[in-house]
Amino acid sequence: MKPKIVILASGNGTNAENIIKYFQATKTAEVVQVLSNKKDAKVLARAEALNVPTRSFTKDQLNSKEILGRMLEEIKPDLIVLAGFLLKIPEYLVADYPDKIINIHPALLPDYGGKGMYGMHVHKAVVENKESFSGITIHYVNEHYDEGGIIFQAKTRLDPSDSPEDVAAKIHKLEYEHFPKVLENLILAH
Ligand code: GAR
């Protein structure tokens, strides 16, 4: 049986779509479910268009081992991938899936991480601080925001004239290029 990936996402879902398409083409793993804490998140429509089953859940359901824990137990995922997922992962999930929950962060951690640092908030802070580089960090998830062991980072050069939107575009490009391959390498290594 193919290794199974479950994606958790809260928003637009371009990374989720890119990962689904990558594995539909390479067949080294399969995205079997996309879950969102927002029932109208665009990611759900993107997944359904690619024939990947979706479900949404509330914050309380996420924090319940009996509900989300059981839902995942039925799937038995090899990897749980956070692709723009904005809620904190509860401790029971970190304990039940050691080194199997992977997040992507749109900056070079440990810089620009932590609570409230997500999406455009990150890129605005990077521009305000006149950074000449930003990048992506793919890391294991532990019980603290953005603090799990780093698996992979990639950098991109910023121009002084870059707006937060320009930075976001450069970061998304890096994410699309690297995230599926890093996940594939993790799967192949196990
Ligand atoms: C991505 O850039 C991802 O790195 C970021 O949200 C964006 C989601 O874009 N994640 C975080 O900020 C997590 N702290 P997408 O919905 O188009 O994939």
Side-chain angles (χ1 to χ4, degrees):
M1 206 166 49
K2 254 188 243 175
K4 290 186 260 187
I5 297 173
V6 169
I7 295 179
L8 270 61
S10 302
N12 193 2
T14 63
N15 273 286
E17 178 172 338
N18 182 53
I19 293 165
I20 294 168
K21 286 182 173 162
Y22 182 88
F23 286 106
Q24 285 180 346
T26 64
K27 304 189 194 311
T28 42
E30 186 181 4
V31 179
V32 294
Q33 181 96 50
V34 172
L35 298 169
S36 181
N37 59 306
K38 296 236 170 82
K39 62 178 187 310
D40 53 357
K42 214 167 168 186
V43 66
L44 297 176
R46 289 183 191 273
E48 280 154 24
L50 292 164
N51 298 316
V52 176
T54 63
R55 276 174 97 156
S56 59
F57 52 80
T58 64
K59 195 172 172 180
D60 285 347
Q61 288 172 331
L62 168 68
N63 291 325
S64 159
K65 188 168 167 127
E66 285 68 41
I67 300 178
L68 206 86
R70 188 165 301 168
M71 205 193 281
L72 288 169
E73 210 176 286
E74 281 166 16
I75 299 173
K76 299 200 190 328
D78 295 276
L79 281 186
I80 297 171
V81 174
L82 313 187
F85 185 66
L86 303 182
L87 296 182
K88 194 154 187 291
I89 293 297
E91 280 179 22
Y92 78 86
L93 278 182
V94 175
D96 285 353
Y97 296 91
D99 290 349
K100 287 187 172 181
I101 311 178
I102 313 296
N103 183 43
I104 190 159
H105 187 78
L108 294 167
L109 291 174
D111 295 341
Y112 301 102
K115 197 168 174 6
M117 270 295 176
Y118 60 87
M120 289 305 293
H121 297 285
V122 174
H123 308 312
K124 280 184 188 146
V126 164
V127 168
E128 269 165 27
N129 288 341
K130 304 188 190 334
E131 299 285 0
S132 39
F133 287 94
S134 191
I136 62 170
T137 304
I138 298 169
H139 65 96
Y140 294 109
V141 171
N142 67 12
E143 44 296 311
H144 305 288
Y145 272 112
D146 303 327
E147 287 183 15
I150 292 175
I151 300 164
F152 176 88
Q153 291 187 305
K155 270 184 170 185
T156 186
R157 186 180 284 282
L158 304 180
D159 298 322
S161 62
D162 279 347
S163 65
E165 289 72 21
D166 295 329
V167 178
K170 287 183 175 179
I171 294 299
H172 266 121
K173 190 162 174 272
L174 280 183
E175 293 183 329
Y176 302 152
E177 183 185 344
H178 295 289
F179 201 13
K181 288 186 188 139
V182 170
L183 297 174
E184 185 172 52
N185 285 338
L186 286 173
I187 282 168
L188 294 176
H190 279 99

